[in-house]
Structures are given as structure tokens and as C-alpha cells.
């Protein structure tokens, strides 16, 4: 079921991105502010703890740290790369559910920190234990997932 959810989210990202923006040398040539807002339409909802955190300008600025992201390859390759990234990160930060307004896919980027913090990602046997008194869990759009 989780795979179907991810495929549907990726398909909707690709459909919105295929409306296209003009080439500008960064990820803004692939996704416009309006498209970003449409894909992640509830990220600034009062119900979302991350309200106001994830902005289009911050997304574009962050992607400039990775100059090849969304800027190399064919038009389709660039769109697929950005769509896959947004599908994965919005899936990991979704605040939606089956009954959510506009469906579960419209609620990406609702959380900044992992909701389920009872998992222990520390493993002293691996040689990578947590620092004393610390607990590790996902933060930002790329969450830790087991």
C-alpha cells in the first residue's frame, strides 16, 4: 500500500511539473512557485507544525547547493528528478490521511521532525552509538526511515 501511495504521489508531482517553467539554470526552471504551492498546498495550514517553515525560496536556495539537481539531462529527466525528490520528501513529512481534505498527497511538508520518536536509531553494537543523553530521529524533509 505504501508503494502505491508513493507511485500516486510521484505521478501527481510529474503531472503538475509537466506544465513546465522556462529554463533558468536552476531548479526554478523545472518547478515554479505556483507549482510548488499547488503540490504542497496544505504545508502552511494551521494543523501543520511546520507552518511557514518550508518555502519555495528556501527550496530553490537549498537546491543551488547541489548544482546538478534538476538542471542536467533531458527535460523529462530534470522533471523526474525533482518530482521524485518532492514525492519522497513530502511523503516523509505528510500530515495527510485518507480522509484529509484534498487527499493525503496534498499535505506534504507538514512536519519538521519525525512524529514517531519512540524508535531507537542508536546502535551501540555498530560502533555508532548515540551521544550520551541524545536521541536520533528524522528532522527536515529527509527523515530517517527503517
Amino acid at each position: 500500500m505504501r508503494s502505491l501511495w508513493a507511485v500516486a504521489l510521484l505521478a501527481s508531482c510529474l503531472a503538475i511539473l509537466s506544465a513546465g517553467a522556462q529554463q533558468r539554470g536552476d531548479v526554478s526552471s523545472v518547478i515554479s512557485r505556483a507549482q510548488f504551492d499547488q503540490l504542497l498546498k496544505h504545508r502552511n495550514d494551521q494543523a501543520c507544525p511546520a507552518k511557514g517553515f518550508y518555502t519555495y525560496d528556501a527550496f530553490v536556495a537549498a537546491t543551488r547547493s547541489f548544482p546538478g539537481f534538476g538542471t542536467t539531462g533531458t527535460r523529462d529527466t530534470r522533471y523526474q528528478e525533482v518530482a521524485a525528490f518532492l514525492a519522497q520528501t513530502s511523503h516523509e513529512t505528510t500530515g495527510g490521511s485518507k480522509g484529509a481534505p484534498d487527499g493525503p498527497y496534498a499535505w506534504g511538508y507538514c512536519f519538521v521532525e519525525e512524529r514517531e520518536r519512540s524508535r531507537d536509531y542508536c546502535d551501540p553494537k555498530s560502533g555508532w552509538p548515540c551521544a550520551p543523553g541524545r536521541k536520533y530521529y528524522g528532522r527536515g524533509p529527509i527523515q530517517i526511515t527503517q
Side-chain angles (χ1 to χ4, degrees):
M1 186 64 162
R2 193 171 177 175
S3 295
L4 286 174
W5 192 83
V7 168
L9 184 56
L10 178 59
S12 69
C13 286
L14 280 170
I16 290 171
L17 290 177
S18 67
Q22 50 191 355
Q23 176 105 18
R24 287 181 240 158
D26 65 17
V27 79
S28 66
S29 69
V30 175
I31 182 168
S32 68
R33 181 182 307 275
Q35 291 167 324
F36 186 85
D37 290 343
Q38 182 181 359
L39 281 169
L40 304 166
K41 66 173 70 175
H42 294 291
R43 75 183 188 286
N44 290 322
D45 189 276
Q46 290 296 342
C48 289
K51 181 179 184 276
F53 183 79
Y54 296 108
T55 67
Y56 176 76
D57 293 333
F59 171 70
V60 172
T63 63
R64 287 184 183 133
S65 297
F66 304 90
F69 177 76
T71 62
T72 56
T74 67
R75 175 188 168 274
D76 287 348
T77 299
R78 294 189 314 268
Y79 281 43
Q80 288 170 355
E81 181 175 29
V82 173
F85 176 82
L86 291 172
Q88 172 61 30
T89 56
S90 64
H91 163 74
E92 289 289 340
T93 59
T94 190
S97 62
K98 287 182 185 178
D102 300 312
Y105 313 119
W107 288 82
Y109 288 26
C110 197
F111 291 91
V112 177
E113 295 182 343
E114 188 171 348
R115 290 178 278 176
E116 178 56 55
R117 295 187 197 168
S118 63
R119 293 186 192 123
D120 187 3
Y121 291 106
C122 300
D123 184 3
K125 296 175 194 153
S126 71
W128 299 102
C130 287
R134 296 293 202 172
K135 188 170 185 172
Y136 296 110
Y137 53 90
R139 294 172 176 87
I142 300 177
Q143 302 283 319
I144 299 172
T145 304
Q146 284 184 308

